[in-house]
Amino acid sequence: MELIQNTPDLSAYLVADEVIDHEHPTVREVAARLAREAEDSYAYARLAFEFVRDAIPHSQDSGDLRVTWRASDVLEQRTGICYAKAHALAALLRAEDIPTALCYQQFDVVHGLIAVRFNGAWHRQDPRGNKPGVNAQFSLDGEQLAFVPDIEAGERDCPELYAEPHPAVLGVLKAAVDRPHLWETLPRTL
């Protein structure tokens, strides 16, 4: 599948905003800590991915009722669903000047992940969090995402790469009073 930038200007995928707030002190502190451990930008990207995937539990898996959507809140509260974890990873990568896009998959509900740009190409990564049956890994040599769509069942990968969260995703995150409420309102399409 060819990934398509929703915004032609690559610099849009480095921007800080209300959601991907990579200028926030919490994001900067985590980014600086991870950068000290990395020898180059690829190693940093892998460490940031593994940190978000492993150190921030997916709230559905952990039973956490809180809903986070802003990257700094995800990092501070250490919880979030796929979209929120994607926002946190995008902020950590953009904090180190690595172009990062938000992207989605269509299952019974929309699933969120990111794409990172290395060597002139986009590479999708899924920081959702591993569990039995889910084994997402950071890779630039072929995807190892949390989920693979069943095309015959109507599931699909969405090729668009967004510089900011899709409004359908951000709207439900902001409106949710808790995770059970969020689960009832997750977008089914973009």
Side-chain angles (χ1 to χ4, degrees):
M1 174 185 70
E2 181 184 345
L3 299 173
I4 303 162
Q5 287 180 211
N6 185 270
T7 304
D9 184 357
L10 190 59
S11 68
Y13 298 91
L14 292 168
V15 170
D17 59 25
E18 175 190 30
V19 179
I20 303 170
D21 57 342
H22 65 72
E23 295 172 349
H24 189 280
T26 298
V27 178
R28 293 311 233 181
E29 184 275 321
V30 173
R33 183 167 27 99
L34 293 170
R36 284 192 294 274
E37 299 174 31
E39 54 210 45
D40 58 25
S41 60
Y42 172 81
Y44 173 83
R46 184 183 47 76
L47 285 171
F49 168 83
E50 291 171 353
F51 175 80
V52 172
R53 182 194 65 193
D54 300 341
I56 300 171
H58 188 287
S59 58
Q60 178 71 14
D61 296 347
S62 68
D64 196 316
L65 298 179
R66 296 174 292 171
V67 175
T68 54
W69 52 269
R70 182 178 288 118
S72 57
D73 292 340
V74 175
L75 295 173
E76 286 173 353
Q77 297 179 36
R78 297 286 175 104
T79 191
I81 68 165
C82 61
Y83 313 127
K85 291 181 65 150
H87 300 165
L89 180 55
L92 289 173
L93 295 171
R94 289 181 184 186
E96 291 295 312
D97 294 321
I98 299 171
T100 307
L102 299 168
C103 49
Y104 303 94
Q105 293 175 306
Q106 178 72 53
F107 298 102
D108 58 332
V109 295
V110 174
H111 173 64
L113 54 157
I114 65 110
V116 62
R117 190 160 178 92
F118 274 104
N119 304 323
W122 289 102
H123 306 273
R124 293 188 307 164
Q125 313 293 329
D126 193 341
R128 181 232 178 266
N130 290 339
K131 63 179 186 174
V134 176
N135 183 24
Q137 300 296 323
F138 185 84
S139 175
L140 302 183
D141 301 318
E143 297 177 337
Q144 191 166 344
L145 305 177
F147 308 110
V148 177
D150 179 350
I151 305 304
E152 293 179 10
E155 299 173 348
R156 69 183 184 96
D157 285 311
C158 303
E160 297 85 7
L161 300 175
Y162 297 91
E164 53 195 35
H166 192 283
V169 168
L170 191 55
V172 299
L173 286 170
K174 286 183 167 185
V177 295
D178 59 19
R179 188 187 36 78
H181 176 253
L182 174 62
W183 230 242
E184 295 173 7
T185 61
L186 288 174
R188 300 200 178 284
T189 61
L190 293 179

